[in-house]
Structures are given as C-alpha cells and as structure tokens.
Amino acid sequence: MARSRSSSSSWWRYLHPSYYLKRPKRLALVFISFVFITFAVWDRQSLVQEQEAEISKLNEELIRLQDQLREVKGNLGYLGERMIHTNDNKIIKDLVDIDPINEERREKVKEAMLHAWDSYEKYAWGQDELQPQSKNGVNSFGGLGATLIDSLDTLYIMGLEDEFRRAREWVANSLDFNKDYEASVFETTIRVVGGLLSAYDLSGDEIFLEKAKDIADRLLPAWNTPSGIPYNRINLVHGNPHNPGWTGGNSILADSGTEQLEFIALSQRTGDPKYQQKVENVIIQLQKTFPSDGLLPIFINPHSGAASYSTITFGAMGDSFYEYLLKAWIQGNKTETVKHYRKMWETSMEGLLSLIRKTTPSSFTYICEKNGGSLSDKMDELACFVPGMLTLGSSGYGPEKAEKFLSLAKELSWTCYNFYQSTSTKLAGENYYFYVGEDMGIGTSWNILRPETIESLMYLWRFTGNKTYQDWGWDIFQAFEKNSRMDSGYVGLKDKKMTREYY
C-alpha cells in the first residue's frame, strides 16, 4: 500500500506548476508540445470545414445542372449542341447548329406522343393497352400497366414532367404484381422490368427499383430447369412455370435469350447477383452446343438445352436473341468478362451472310429464313432490326469487316424502307416474300405499328450522320400520322391492300 501511495503521489507532481517552474527545459518542452497539438487540431478542423464547404458548393452546382437538364426539351439532335463556359462560369447551351427542320419535326413527334398518352390516360389509365376505336382499356399483359410502364422513360426524356409524375404515383400506389396470371417471361421482362429500370436510371427514384425487383423475383422460378434454359410462361402468384402447348414443350429462342440486359442491370443496381447468374447461365448453356454458323433454331429443349429441329430466322421468335448478344457485350463495357457474347455474335453474323440474297430487277437485299437445308425467300418486318444491329456492331470489327457489315446494314435498311414505300398507305406489312423478277410482295398484310425499321434508321443516322435516314424515318412517321391516327390514339391496319381498315 505504501508503494502504491508513493507511486500515485509521484504522478501528481507532474501536474503541479511548481514542478515545471523549477525545471525550465521541461516547461519549454510542454509549451512546444501544447502549441503543436493545438495547431494540429485547428488545422484538422479547418480542413474539415473547407471540405464541407466545397462539398456543399458541388451539391449546389449539381442541383443547378440537373435543373438545367430538365429544362431541355427532347433530343437536341446529332452534334446539335455544344457545352461552353461563359465568363461567370455558367454552363449554357450553344444551339447554333440546330436545324430548324429537325426542331419542327421533333415538336411534332412530341405532340404525337402526347396525343397517344392523353388518350391512354383518359380511356385506359393503369390498364395494359388502349383500344382506340372502342375507347376501352384491355389487360392483355395481366393488368401490369404495360403501356404506362413502357412509356415512363419517354415521358421523362421528353420533359413531360406532369405526365411522368402522375405515372410515377400510379406505380407507387396502384401497381400490384400479386396477380393470378400466366405471364410471358419475355414480354414482362422487356416491358415491365426494363421500363421500371429505365425510369429508375433516369430519375433515381427508388420506387421503380423496388417494383422491378418485385416482378423479377416472381419471374425467377422460370429458370429452374435442368439446363437453365427458362420456361417461357409463369404464374405471378403461384410460380408453376411452363411452356405453351403449341411449342411441343420447347422454349422459344428469342423468349429465352432476351432477358440478359434487364436482369444483369438489375443485379448491378441491387447488388444481388442472382438475377445475372440466372440469365448468364442461359448463354453458358447455349455455348456448349453453339453451331459453327452461329444460327440457332427457334425451339430449345429446356431439359437438355439442345436445339430442336425448327426454323432458323432473324424474324419472329429468333430475332432479339442475336440483338442481346451484341448489347450484352456493350453493356459490359466490351471487357474480357463479356468477350464471349461478342464472339458468339460475330459467329452468328457470319451465319447471317449465308442467308443474304438479292432480288431482281431492283437488287433489294433481304434475309432468308432457313428450314433444314433449304432457304425460304421470306423476311419479317421484325427482321428490320438487323440494319441497326449491324451498324451498332460494326465498330467492333477491323476496318475491312466494319465497312462490309456497315454496307450490308445500309442495303438492308433500303429494303426495309421500301417495305413501307411499296404499299398504298406507305406502311409496311408484317412480312414479305421475294420472287424472281418481281422484287417483293406482301405476305401477311397487317401493320401493328412495329418500330424496328425506325430504330435501324436512327442507328444509321447517328453512326453515319447521313440525313437521308432522318428523312426516311420522317416519311414513315407521316404515314402513321395519316393512316393510323384517330381522335383517341393510334391503331393498326389490317386489310390486304393496306388501306384504312383498322383493328
């Protein structure tokens, strides 16, 4: 105890001022230490305050820029705007290069969107589709608000803030996926999951991501097959995935290979890898038996993963599988991790070349379908996505091949444009047949307002800068305005001569 008290008292003496007054050197040391510690604390606080002030300024600048961005109405056109700094450091838009014709067209396209949207909002709000003739809504996708969700990104991009806000409120308060409905995994993915993710990416609103996760979780059991090739239909409440009876139990190529972009994006945004794993397993499985020409039949056995004997086509039931191979490579930043997507796509493009034929006398280039060892001189309008896909993918080749595939894209786009120009209404039929000496003739004559040709023309214009593609797209838009527009929206045409007989 004596030792403890002695030790304690020896420590207390260091706190008494008289100790340091008798020892000047130690007093100086304490003083210097105090100065350094005080300076360090003060300097640290100053840095923190400066950083907080800088962060505050950056946040204010970000908000200001976001406000400016929201004020920009629509797409400002190809190389039509430049960002310049004024003396007061404000960023403004230099619109010197804006083409007044493009500006006028842009406003008419926006007006068309508003006409379609206002009709939907008035007569079919929250339902999947509007039937303009009867002015009724129908739930052809199970009552998931397909039109509303599919339109969210367009409303946002066009700066239609009030319309977007009302749609957002419906999603937040009324969208319910707990429905006893046999949903198409493919259609629900591209329209609902994709629409919600696009809205989330543009707005940053978490409600869209939450809803995307909800519907994707309901679709996931479709991939629980021995091969990982998904069934194409599933009940949103009970699960129970299956394939339609008319496929003979097989899964459809396009339906099974057109979920990669949405589900990979969902994994990236949620941090949950399960969505990406499911859809990438499909590609891994198809790689195992991928043919040397890269052309897969439209039916795949979900148990074995093997292709079943069936048609090969870049039209219905085959089309978007090839498109997603390319776009998954782009989505993955063209890195080594996604190189196999590009490799598979390039193999398929070599196979595509074997399906290319030309008509007489006008030398229209078209894509055949293949049945066993024989070719059919038939091309769906759906296959008119190919020119855009080739344009997008051409930049991944060396100069010689890039030019080869870009040239093919231009030839096919001319054919697709003439699908429209060949009818009295200037609207394309669903598919075309090609005959020796007769160029092209309509097979199935209805038009259901498909977007593939317009999309390809957009890619070609963006890539080449050639305004001819803009003009072709404008011709098609005007034909829709003339023949498909009604007071309550837009309708398809069904009669064989492609005149004004509506669905």
Side-chain angles (χ1 to χ4, degrees), residues 18 34 163 166 223 298 304 324 338 346 361 376 420 447 484:
S18 62
F34 175 79
E163 290 79 4
R166 290 194 294 272
W223 279 266
I298 58 175
S304 67
Y324 267 45
V338 291
E346 289 189 3
S376 171
Y420 286 80
N447 179 285
S484 291

Side-chain angles (χ1 to χ4, degrees), residues 155-168:
L155 294 173
Y156 193 97
I157 290 168
M158 286 186 168
L160 301 174
E161 296 177 3
D162 291 339
E163 290 79 4
F164 180 83
R165 175 182 51 77
R166 290 194 294 272
R168 186 264 178 207

Side-chain angles (χ1 to χ4, degrees), residues 193-463:
V193 179
L196 290 168
L197 286 175
S198 295
Y200 171 70
D201 282 350
L202 289 166
S203 70
D205 193 326
E206 290 289 336
I207 188 63
F208 298 121
L209 185 60
E210 292 171 15
K211 293 291 186 178
K213 186 176 182 297
D214 182 3
I215 185 62
D217 286 339
R218 296 171 186 270
L219 298 177
L220 274 183
W223 279 266
N224 295 337
T225 66
S227 68
I229 302 295
Y231 292 114
N232 297 149
R233 300 196 69 83
I234 190 168
N235 186 286
L236 294 180
V237 172
H238 306 294
N240 305 325
H242 60 92
N243 281 330
W246 59 269
T247 68
N250 289 306
S251 297
I252 299 169
L253 175 64
D255 286 23
S256 304
T258 310
E259 290 89 11
Q260 282 68 30
L261 295 179
E262 292 82 4
F263 275 64
I264 291 172
L266 185 57
S267 279
Q268 291 171 343
R269 284 142 185 77
T270 62
D272 190 335
K274 66 182 180 182
Y275 309 105
Q276 182 168 349
Q277 288 169 354
K278 289 290 188 183
V279 296
E280 291 203 320
N281 282 342
V282 174
I283 303 302
I284 292 171
Q285 179 62 47
L286 293 176
Q287 266 190 298
K288 295 177 181 177
T289 57
F290 204 59
S292 59
D293 62 2
L295 301 178
L296 285 172
I298 58 175
F299 292 136
I300 308 292
N301 188 306
H303 298 282
S304 67
S308 301
Y309 181 84
S310 52
T311 301
I312 290 171
T313 180
F314 279 80
M317 298 192 286
D319 49 2
S320 50
F321 164 71
Y322 304 101
E323 176 188 9
Y324 267 45
L325 286 179
L326 174 66
K327 290 183 177 178
W329 173 70
I330 295 171
Q331 181 189 47
N333 291 322
K334 308 176 183 179
T335 60
E336 190 67 25
T337 306
V338 291
K339 185 178 180 180
H340 60 291
Y341 284 100
R342 174 76 193 198
K343 184 176 180 180
M344 291 174 71
W345 181 79
E346 289 189 3
T347 301
S348 298
M349 294 309 98
E350 293 300 322
L352 170 68
L353 294 177
S354 70
L355 304 180
I356 297 297
R357 296 290 184 273
K358 288 181 180 290
T359 71
T360 54
S362 301
S363 292
F364 288 121
T365 301
Y366 63 96
I367 307 170
C368 293
E369 293 184 349
K370 190 173 184 179
N371 297 283
S374 62
L375 297 182
S376 171
D377 295 301
K378 170 181 173 287
M379 180 176 169
D380 288 350
E381 198 279 338
L382 278 167
C384 286
F385 84 95
V386 172
M389 176 183 68
L390 291 175
T391 301
L392 188 61
S394 65
S395 60
Y397 287 111
E400 186 175 340
K401 276 200 170 181
E403 179 56 36
K404 176 181 180 180
F405 281 102
L406 183 58
S407 177
L408 177 58
K410 294 174 181 177
E411 292 175 14
L412 288 170
S413 71
W414 173 240
T415 300
C416 291
Y417 174 63
N418 277 279
F419 283 172
Y420 286 80
Q421 295 303 300
S422 64
T423 70
S424 60
T425 57
K426 307 301 181 187
L427 291 176
E430 181 71 357
N431 51 56
Y432 284 76
Y433 287 88
F434 302 88
Y435 307 100
V436 176
E438 297 182 22
D439 284 329
M440 64 177 71
I442 295 179
T444 305
S445 62
W446 67 59
N447 179 285
I448 53 175
L449 296 87
R450 293 198 183 277
E452 284 75 17
T453 297
I454 292 287
E455 180 187 27
S456 285
L457 295 176
M458 185 274 291
Y459 276 118
L460 278 158
W461 168 61
R462 289 285 187 181
F463 195 84

Side-chain angles (χ1 to χ4, degrees), residues 450-482:
R450 293 198 183 277
E452 284 75 17
T453 297
I454 292 287
E455 180 187 27
S456 285
L457 295 176
M458 185 274 291
Y459 276 118
L460 278 158
W461 168 61
R462 289 285 187 181
F463 195 84
T464 67
N466 187 340
K467 292 188 176 183
T468 296
Y469 300 114
Q470 279 185 306
D471 293 337
W472 291 357
W474 183 247
D475 290 343
I476 295 171
F477 172 75
Q478 288 182 301
F480 279 121
E481 285 290 287
K482 179 180 179 181

